[in-house]
Amino acid sequence: MINFQTSPDQYHHWKLKVDGAVATLSMDVQEDETLAEGYKLKLNSYDLGVDIELADAVQRIRFEHPEVKVVVITSLKPRIFCAGANIYMLGTSSHAFKVNFCKFTNETRCAIEDDSHHSGRRYVAALNGTASGGGYELAIACDEIYLVDDGNSAVSLPEVPLLGVLPGTGGLTRLVDKRKIRRDRADVFSTLAEGLKGKRAKEWGLINDSFPTSKFQESIDARVREIAAGVKQTVSLRNDVEKTSLSENEPSQTNSLLYGIKLNPLQLEIKPAGLEYKYVNVVFNREQRYADLTVRGPEANLPTSPDEIQKLGDSYWPLQAYRDLDDALLYLRVNEPEIGLVCVRTEGNIDDVLAVDKTLLANKDHWLVREIILYMARVLRRLDLTAKSFFAIIEPGSCFAGNLLELMLASDRSYMLNNPDEKIELALSELNHGALPMSNELTRLQSRFLATPERVKEILAQTGRLDTEAAEQAGLVTFAPDDLDWEDEIRVAIEERTSLSPDALTGMEASLRFAGPETMDTKIFGRLTAWQNWIFQRPNAVGEKGALTNYGKPTQAQFDFKRT
Amino acid sequence: MNLYERIPNNVNLSEDKKLQRALEKWLPNYLDWWNEMGPDGFQQKDVYLRTAISVEPDGWANFDFVKMPDYRWGIFLKPAEADAKIGFGDNYGQPVYQEVPGEFRNALRRIIVTQGDTEPASVEQQRELGKTCPSLYDLRNLFQVNVEEGRHLWAMVYLLQRYFGRDGRDEADALLERRSGNPDKPRILEAFNQPCDDWLNFFCFTMFTDRDGKYQLSALAESGFEPLARTCQFMLTEEAHHMFVGDTGINRVVKRTAQLMNQGDVRQLGGIPLDIIQRYINFWFSYSLDLFGGEISSNSADFFAAGLKGRYKEQDQYDDHLAADQIFTMKIVEDNQIKDSEVPLRNALNEVLRTEYVKDCEKGLARWNKSLADEELVARTSVGGEHRLKSMPRLFLPNSRFHRHVGEYAGHNFDLEGNLISQEDFEKRKGEWLPSVADREYVRSLMHPVIEPGKIANWIAPPATGIKGKPFEFEYVRL
C-alpha cells in the first residue's frame, strides 16, 4: 500500500530549510529508500516516494510558511541536480502504476506553477549539476532556471534518443508553451541525449542564466534576494473572482506579518472494507468494482473571521475535508486499481455549506483563506483527472451546494432522486462563479454549457435552492428517477458501467470532461500524457526489443520503423 | 599556405579544405594555450625531442633539438587495412565505418571529447614541474611527454573537426578552454584535476594514469569507426614512452630509497621513505581506477554493441566477439556487505578493462620489488652487510575497492585489502593509507632543480641508459 502522507521529519530524499522569506528545498535522494524492490535511486533519480515528499513540501510551504517569497530547488549531490524518473523503476512497474506515477508528478509540478501564479511565490531552480529528463522537467516547472557552468553540466531531455519514450512530465509542452522555445530548437534539444550546456542553453532560452562554479552560490543568493525584494504578495484567484473583486490599489499583505498553520497528520482509519477520514468515508465494493465515497459537510456556525479560521488551522472544515478527499482520491488511484467507478455522495446541511462558502469569499484576500480556496480547486482538478468513472448520487440528506456542488459537476453523470415527499435540493454559491476552475480554466458550469453560455448566467443568478425538477430543468443532473425506480436504476447504472472496458472508459471520460479551450495543463494531461501512455504500451518502448526494455542491458533496441 | 606544409600528417591535409579551415581557427588558439599553460619557463630552450614526421618505421621517432613552441605537432593515423571489418558487437563482420554513423554520432563525440580532454589536462597539471627537475634527463622526458600529450590532443581534435561538423569544432575549442583544477572550468575527469606538483606525483601519474590512457586507447583502437581506431593505434606507440617514464621513474626512486635504507634513516639522508611511496601509489592507483567508469555500465554495453569500443586486444584475446549472453561475476556492496553479483558481460566491460589494467600495474610493482630485493642482496653480501636490514618491506597495489569515487564502491569505505569498514575507521586510518599534507610537504621539500649535465638529485637513482643511445651525461636540455 502506498501512503501519500508524510512530513519533513519523515523525508528521506529532501531537506526543507526555511530562512525568512526564502525556502530551500534540496534534493538528496537516498538510493536504497525506494518504494519497491529491484532498483536503486542513483544520481538523484526519483520514484513516486521521492515525489510524494516534494508534493508535501510544496504544500507545506504554502500553508506552514506563508512568509516565504522565494523557493529555491536545488540538490545536495555534487555535480548532479537530478537524473529524472528512475528508468529501472519504470521498467519494472506495471502500466497502470507508470500512468499514475506520471499523473501525480505532473500534478505536483502544476501545483508549483499554481503557487507561483496565484500566490506569487517565485520558484528558482538552482541547477548545481546536470538536470536530465525529469530533472529538467522539474526545473522547467520553476519560474527561473540557473545552471552551473562547469564545462560539464547540462540540461537535457534524453527520453526520445535514449529510451524511446517521451519526457512525460510536462517537459515537451513547457518547452514550447511556457518557455516558448522555438519549435525547431525544441526538436533538436529533445533528440540530443547529452543536452546543452550553459552558453547554448541560455542562448536557446532553456535556462535563464549560467554561473561559474565558484560564483554559483553567491549568484543564486543574489538573485534570490533580488526576487524576494521585488515580490509583492499577489493575492489572486483564478478567473472571475480575480477579475471582479481585486482592485489594483488594494494594499497587499506584507509577508513578514504572516505566520503559518500546521498541517497535522490526517485522522485516517484504513479498514478492509474502506477508509474512514474525519469528513470523508469510502466503502469499497470490490466484488462489484466500485466504491461509495461520501463527503460530510461542515458543522453549523463555523467561525467567520480570518483570525478564528487561522486559529482553527487545519481542522477548519474546508481544509480538513478537502485534505481528506485529496488523500482518498490518491489512495483509490494507486491502491485500488480495480475499482473503476466511484459513487459520490454528500451528507450534511446545505445552509452550513453555503455559510462556509460565504465566509471563504468574504475573506478571500486573507492569505490562509486564499490558500484554502486554491487548494480546494486543486483537489477538484485531481478528481477531474482521476481515471475512474464518477457518478454523483443525490439523495435526501445530501448537501451538494456551493463548493460541494462542484463534486456533482465534476462527475461523469449525476442521479438525483425525485421524491416530492423528501427535501432533496441543490444550491449554488459565489464559489461556483470561478474560484474553482478546471484545468481548462473554465468553471465546471461553463464547460457543461459550452453551447449555451447564457445558461451559466441564469443558473448562477439562482439564489434559492433547486429541487429535483428544477435541477433537471436547468440541465444540472443527468437522471432523476422517482423513488419506485431509484434503487434499481442506481444498481443497473453501476453494473452497466463497471462491465465496460476500463481503457475505453478512461479515454472516453478524459475526452468528454474537458470540453472547451486548451491550456498548458490540459495539453500536459491530455496530449502529452496520452501520447506517453500510448508509447509506454508500444513494442518499440516496452517490447522485448524496445528501447526502454533494453536500456542498461547488453542488447540494443530494435525498432519497428513503420510510422502510424 | 605553408602553415600546413609544416604540419606533418598522413591525412592529406594540403588538399582537405574543410580541415584546413577548421585548423586555421584552432591552431592559433592551440599555440596560445601552449604558451599560457605549457611548461613554464622553458619555452625558448632547446630540448632533445622525438618528433613523429611520418608513420613509417624510420619516421615516427625523429630525434633533434627543438624549441617546444616550434615542435611539429602532426596528425597521424596508422595506415588503413584493406577491407577492414567491425571486430565485435552487434555489427560484427560488417565493413568498418569510414564516416560517423548518425545514430552513434553523439556517443562517439562524447568518447572522443572525454579522451581528448585528458591530453591537455596533463600538460596543465605538470606545467611547473620543470623548475624542480632531478636531472636534465628527467627534464627532457617531462617535455617529451608534454609535447606528445599535445599531439594526442591534435589527434582527437582532428577527429572532431574532420568528422563532427560544427559541434565537433565547438568541442575542439572547448578542449582549450577547460583548465585542470579550475573549479569554474574543470577538466572532465577528476584524476585530471588533481595537482601534480612534485616529481613523485609525476612518475605516479605517468605510471598509473597514463596507463589508463593506454587501456582506453587500446579499447578504442578496436573501434569499428575506423579513423578513431587508426588514430588510437598510432597514439599507443607514443603512450608507451610515457609509461616507461613513470615505471622507471618510480623504480629509480625505489632503488635510491633502498640504497639509503642500507645506509641509515632515509629521511635524514634526504630520500623518500618507502611508506610515503606506498601512499602515493595508493592514491594514484585508486584515482586512476575511477577513470574506467562504473563497474556496471549501460554505456559500456551500448558502446560495445555499437562496435565503438572493444576490449583490450579484442582480436587476439577473445574468440566470441559478440559477448552477448555471457555473465560476469563481480563483487558489489549490498545491505552493507560485499556480495557476488552476476552482470551481463557487456555491462561489465569497464570492469573487464580495469582488470587488465590492474594486471599490467602489478608487473610494475614486481619490477620495483625486484629493485628492493636487489638492494637487500647488496646489503647482505657487502662487507658488514649482515648488520644492515635483513629484509625490506615490499610495495603493493591496494585492493580495487579502496578509495574509489566512481562506480559500485563509491560512497563506501574499504581498507587496503578491500574489506568494508566504517567511515570512522576510514577517517582514523586515512593517514596510514593516503598521502598526508605532511607527506606532500616533505616530498616537495626535496624537490630542488639539478640542471648540471650528468648530475642527479639525491632522492632518485640515475637511469640505466640515456635516450637514443646518448649517455646520461648528455645535455638533453640546453638551458
Side-chain angles (χ1 to χ4, degrees):
Chain A
M1 195 208 77
I2 291 171
N3 173 19
F4 286 86
Q5 286 200 62
T6 184
S7 58
D9 54 315
Q10 298 175 48
Y11 291 172
H12 293 296
H13 309 293
W14 292 90
K15 307 262 179 309
L16 173 60
K17 195 186 94 202
V18 177
D19 183 9
V22 180
T24 306
L25 199 43
S26 307
M27 198 175 197
D28 188 13
V29 174
Q30 303 305 300
E31 58 179 52
D32 294 321
E33 293 290 341
T34 58
L35 267 192
E37 298 284 304
Y39 58 91
K40 283 187 171 200
L41 295 173
K42 295 194 171 180
L43 305 174
N44 262 359
S45 61
Y46 57 81
D47 67 358
L48 182 59
V50 178
D51 223 68
I52 288 173
E53 292 180 9
L54 172 63
D56 182 78
V58 172
Q59 179 81 336
R60 278 179 202 278
I61 289 170
R62 300 182 73 160
F63 282 98
E64 299 189 351
H65 304 285
E67 73 279 12
V68 167
K69 295 177 178 179
V70 185
V71 181
V72 180
I73 298 187
T74 189
S75 138
L76 294 178
K77 296 248 192 301
R79 298 174 84 167
I80 291 168
F81 173 69
C82 168
N86 187 282
I87 305 307
Y88 301 100
M89 178 275 294
L90 289 175
T92 53
S93 299
S94 70
H95 178 71
F97 185 85
K98 277 195 286 246
V99 172
N100 272 308
F101 166 75
C102 288
K103 190 172 284 178
F104 182 80
T105 53
N106 269 316
E107 285 168 330
T108 305
R109 278 131 199 84
C110 289
I112 288 175
E113 287 171 335
D114 179 83
D115 189 23
S116 166
H117 191 248
H118 297 289
S119 297
R121 241 177 302 281
R122 285 288 168 268
Y123 283 72
V124 173
L127 311 182
N128 56 309
T130 288
S132 49
Y136 181 62
E137 291 180 297
L138 175 57
I140 203 173
C142 298
D143 297 289
E144 298 180 14
I145 308 174
Y146 299 98
L147 174 65
V148 66
D149 181 10
D150 57 7
N152 226 358
S153 295
V155 294
S156 66
L157 293 177
E159 283 85 347
V160 171
L162 272 193
L163 308 170
V165 299
L166 302 182
T169 318
L172 296 177
T173 307
R174 288 195 179 91
L175 276 185
V176 287
D177 261 88
K178 182 180 184 180
R179 291 196 77 89
K180 301 188 167 49
I181 312 287
R182 250 168 48 192
R183 56 169 282 195
D184 53 346
R185 285 179 163 175
D187 179 289
V188 173
F189 176 65
S190 307
T191 51
L192 191 60
E194 66 193 54
L196 294 177
K197 286 177 272 202
K199 199 173 136 205
R200 179 105 55 106
K202 185 185 174 187
E203 203 177 295
W204 285 23
L206 299 163
I207 59 172
N208 292 66
D209 210 344
S210 64
F211 308 118
T213 311
S214 62
K215 302 217 171 60
F216 188 69
Q217 196 53 51
E218 72 182 79
S219 306
I220 295 290
D221 292 345
R223 179 63 193 139
V224 165
R225 276 195 303 275
E226 210 172 280
I227 301 172
V231 167
K232 270 186 262 147
Q233 169 99 4
T234 56
V235 185
S236 75
L237 296 172
R238 289 199 192 191
N239 281 345
D240 303 0
V241 177
E242 182 175 2
K243 284 170 204 148
T244 54
S245 57
L246 290 180
S247 91
E248 296 277 316
N249 305 324
E250 213 166 348
S252 59
Q253 285 172 292
T254 46
N255 288 53
S256 52
L257 297 176
L258 301 180
Y259 57 96
I261 62 159
K262 175 111 183 64
L263 295 180
N264 294 294
L266 301 178
Q267 301 157 31
L268 164 63
E269 204 185 324
I270 301 173
K271 302 182 222 166
L275 309 172
E276 187 66 53
Y277 298 87
K278 180 148 189 231
Y279 292 112
V280 171
N281 166 273
V282 184
V283 176
F284 305 131
N285 306 288
R286 289 207 182 83
E287 293 273 296
Q288 295 100 328
R289 295 189 300 280
Y290 78 96
D292 290 303
L293 184 151
T294 306
V295 180
R296 287 185 278 269
E299 298 83 359
N301 305 319
L302 288 183
T304 54
S305 78
D307 286 350
E308 290 169 302
I309 292 171
Q310 175 122 14
K311 245 176 244 144
L312 276 180
D314 69 347
S315 65
Y316 182 46
W317 178 84
L319 185 51
Q320 185 73 63
Y322 276 78
R323 284 183 75 207
D324 291 349
L325 178 58
D326 201 11
D327 195 69
L329 288 170
L330 291 170
Y331 187 101
L332 282 167
R333 278 184 187 180
V334 173
N335 296 320
E336 295 291 340
E338 288 197 12
I339 284 184
L341 167 66
V342 181
C343 294
V344 182
R345 292 178 176 80
T346 53
E347 243 177 54
N349 187 328
I350 287 183
D351 289 327
D352 297 335
V353 182
L354 293 178
V356 163
D357 281 11
K358 199 172 158 203
T359 302
L360 291 176
L361 205 77
N363 298 292
K364 66 181 167 43
D365 297 334
H366 184 269
W367 78 269
L368 177 57
V369 175
R370 183 188 72 241
E371 288 299 344
I372 290 173
I373 298 174
L374 288 167
Y375 177 55
M376 294 162 82
R378 287 200 298 285
V379 176
L380 289 164
R381 287 199 290 276
R382 178 108 69 201
L383 195 159
D384 292 333
L385 290 165
T386 297
K388 296 186 189 293
S389 303
F390 286 89
F391 287 178
I393 311 287
I394 306 147
E395 294 169 313
S398 70
C399 56
F400 284 99
N403 71 77
L404 292 180
L405 184 69
E406 296 289 329
L407 292 177
M408 186 203 83
L409 295 170
S411 297
D412 298 294
R413 296 179 185 184
S414 48
Y415 291 82
M416 190 169 184
L417 174 65
N418 188 357
N419 183 350
D421 299 338
E422 301 259 20
K423 197 173 167 198
I424 310 164
E425 292 170 328
L426 305 178
L428 290 122
S429 84
E430 294 266 337
L431 283 188
N432 303 116
H433 288 230
L436 306 168
M438 298 175 61
S439 305
N440 60 9
E441 297 202 335
L442 297 186
T443 66
R444 286 179 188 76
L445 280 174
Q446 286 170 325
S447 293
R448 189 175 186 85
F449 299 113
L450 269 188
T452 47
E454 65 283 359
R455 181 84 74 89
V456 178
K457 284 195 193 119
E458 283 166 31
I459 293 171
L460 288 173
Q462 297 268 0
T463 48
R465 312 291 173 83
L466 291 94
D467 62 15
T468 305
E469 242 163 67
E472 198 183 13
Q473 195 79 42
L476 285 172
V477 296
T478 320
F479 298 110
D482 63 30
D483 53 340
L484 288 178
D485 295 332
W486 176 252
E487 281 190 12
D488 217 34
E489 286 283 340
I490 300 297
R491 179 185 63 77
V492 168
I494 291 170
E495 286 176 4
E496 183 195 52
R497 188 67 165 197
T498 55
S499 72
L500 299 174
S501 157
D503 299 337
L505 284 178
T506 297
M508 181 193 84
E509 289 155 3
S511 302
L512 302 182
R513 286 177 190 174
F514 302 95
E518 287 247 55
T519 62
M520 198 169 74
D521 286 14
T522 64
K523 284 183 197 170
I524 286 169
F525 289 107
R527 194 191 305 268
L528 180 61
T529 311
W531 279 114
Q532 175 78 315
N533 293 344
W534 177 75
I535 293 165
F536 264 153
Q537 290 283 61
R538 295 273 296 163
N540 281 340
V542 296
E544 202 188 321
K545 293 180 172 167
L548 198 58
T549 312
N550 282 282
Y551 178 75
K553 294 217 178 117
T555 40
Q556 299 299 97
Q558 281 172 32
F559 296 131
D560 171 356
F561 281 104
K562 287 193 285 295
R563 296 278 291 242
T564 53
Chain B
M1 206 171 137
N2 59 10
L3 175 67
Y4 305 113
E5 283 157 28
R6 263 193 55 75
I7 299 176
N9 72 89
N10 67 344
V11 296
N12 207 7
L13 177 58
S14 60
E15 315 242 310
D16 190 336
K17 294 276 175 265
K18 184 175 144 188
L19 188 57
Q20 285 181 14
R21 218 174 25 238
L23 268 179
E24 204 169 304
K25 184 164 167 274
W26 189 80
L27 194 58
N29 292 338
Y30 171 79
L31 287 173
D32 288 349
W33 169 80
W34 180 269
N35 285 318
E36 187 195 330
M37 296 311 294
D40 190 22
F42 297 90
Q43 300 275 13
Q44 291 312 313
K45 306 297 179 192
D46 287 316
V47 187
Y48 189 66
L49 290 176
R50 177 178 75 179
T51 308
I53 54 170
S54 85
V55 294
E56 304 309 316
D58 60 340
W60 75 273
N62 233 275
F63 285 86
D64 205 352
F65 279 97
V66 61
K67 293 182 176 56
M68 284 183 278
D70 300 332
Y71 187 79
R72 292 178 67 196
W73 284 287
I75 304 168
F76 291 107
L77 279 65
K78 196 178 164 205
E81 282 172 38
D83 296 329
K85 301 274 189 280
I86 297 171
F88 57 91
D90 292 346
N91 299 318
Y92 176 70
Q94 307 279 316
V96 290
Y97 314 121
Q98 297 294 349
E99 295 290 332
V100 181
E103 67 266 43
F104 305 138
R105 183 176 163 140
N106 291 329
L108 263 174
R109 195 183 60 207
R110 194 160 70 227
I111 291 173
I112 292 169
V113 166
T114 307
Q115 178 64 39
D117 194 61
T118 65
E119 315 290 357
S122 61
V123 176
E124 292 164 2
Q125 285 172 294
Q126 296 157 12
R127 94 178 272 263
E128 300 293 338
L129 279 179
K131 294 171 185 163
T132 56
C133 64
S135 72
L136 287 183
Y137 165 88
D138 289 293
L139 186 62
R140 177 265 163 202
N141 281 350
L142 168 69
F143 295 155
Q144 183 69 51
V145 169
N146 289 163
V147 293
E148 283 176 355
E149 298 296 6
R151 208 204 65 75
H152 290 179
L153 172 62
W154 276 59
M156 293 296 126
V157 164
Y158 160 72
L159 292 173
L160 289 170
Q161 295 188 332
R162 170 67 182 74
Y163 293 99
F164 293 89
R166 182 191 151 177
D167 287 347
R169 294 196 292 277
D170 287 352
E171 291 288 3
D173 293 342
L175 288 172
L176 297 176
E177 285 159 12
R178 287 185 284 269
R179 290 286 182 274
S180 174
N182 182 327
D184 286 344
K185 36 186 181 178
R187 291 294 171 181
I188 295 170
L189 298 170
E190 222 17 65
F192 292 88
N193 289 309
Q194 302 293 326
C196 188
D197 47 6
D198 66 58
W199 280 75
L200 187 55
N201 273 329
F202 172 63
F203 291 137
C204 286
F205 181 92
T206 40
M207 168 71 196
F208 292 111
T209 308
D210 273 337
R211 195 172 303 273
D212 157 72
K214 168 185 165 184
Y215 281 84
Q216 299 303 331
L217 291 175
S218 300
L220 296 176
E222 304 286 339
S223 182
F225 176 46
E226 203 199 26
L228 174 64
R230 289 167 50 210
T231 299
C232 291
Q233 286 156 11
F234 187 74
M235 287 164 75
L236 279 167
T237 58
E238 292 163 320
E239 203 72 52
H241 173 257
H242 304 185
M243 282 171 293
F244 165 85
V245 169
D247 192 344
T248 58
I250 297 179
N251 204 356
R252 288 159 53 211
V253 177
V254 169
K255 189 173 171 193
R256 181 62 183 153
T257 297
Q259 288 168 352
L260 294 173
M261 284 165 88
N262 279 332
Q263 294 168 23
D265 183 84
V266 175
R267 220 174 241 266
Q268 278 177 8
L269 293 168
I272 304 178
L274 215 48
D275 60 324
I276 294 188
I277 298 175
Q278 181 65 53
R279 285 196 282 277
Y280 270 61
I281 292 172
N282 297 344
F283 178 86
W284 281 102
F285 178 67
S286 56
Y287 259 111
S288 302
L289 289 177
D290 281 341
L291 297 173
F292 288 82
E295 278 71 14
I296 304 171
S297 161
S298 55
N299 275 346
S300 84
D302 292 348
F303 294 166
F304 187 87
L308 304 182
K309 188 176 173 187
R311 286 170 289 186
Y312 181 63
K313 296 195 173 162
E314 176 74 42
Q315 299 315 317
D316 304 341
Q317 285 207 94
Y318 300 96
D319 295 324
D320 171 14
H321 298 296
L322 297 183
D325 305 314
Q326 298 176 49
I327 294 293
F328 185 92
T329 306
M330 65 170 73
K331 306 274 184 208
I332 61 157
V333 181
E334 211 177 86
D335 304 327
N336 231 12
Q337 284 179 327
I338 299 172
K339 292 182 180 163
D340 278 329
S341 174
E342 296 198 334
V343 179
L345 179 59
R346 283 186 179 185
N347 292 75
L349 291 179
N350 288 345
E351 182 62 9
V352 171
L353 196 60
R354 186 165 19 232
T355 309
E356 297 279 357
Y357 165 84
V358 174
K359 273 197 272 177
D360 203 22
C361 290
E362 275 164 358
K363 290 183 196 152
L365 267 291
R367 282 189 286 273
W368 307 339
N369 283 331
K370 168 97 173 25
S371 294
L372 289 171
D374 289 349
E375 288 306 319
E376 226 172 68
L377 198 64
V378 169
R380 271 203 290 270
T381 52
S382 64
V383 180
E386 62 274 15
H387 304 300
R388 304 275 182 222
L389 267 177
K390 285 283 181 309
S391 69
M392 290 182 192
R394 293 292 187 259
L395 295 165
F396 59 89
L397 291 177
N399 185 280
S400 297
R401 294 190 283 275
F402 172 75
H403 190 235
R404 292 286 302 279
H405 299 82
V406 171
E408 289 297 306
Y409 310 123
H412 303 285
N413 295 286
F414 300 90
D415 63 15
L416 292 178
E417 286 79 43
N419 301 309
L420 201 54
I421 57 171
S422 68
Q423 168 98 36
E424 296 80 61
D425 286 348
F426 183 84
E427 291 301 327
K428 248 183 262 164
R429 302 194 59 190
K430 206 165 77 176
E432 287 170 52
W433 295 338
L434 293 167
S436 63
V437 174
D439 288 344
R440 293 182 186 283
E441 278 173 4
Y442 175 72
V443 173
R444 260 204 301 274
S445 76
L446 300 179
M447 300 291 138
H448 300 291
V450 176
I451 52 173
E452 209 177 314
K455 291 278 165 58
I456 188 144
N458 179 49
W459 52 268
I460 185 168
T465 54
I467 303 293
K468 183 73 178 168
K470 302 270 189 261
F472 171 66
E473 294 76 19
F474 183 69
E475 193 178 6
Y476 290 102
V477 183
R478 292 178 184 150
L479 296 176

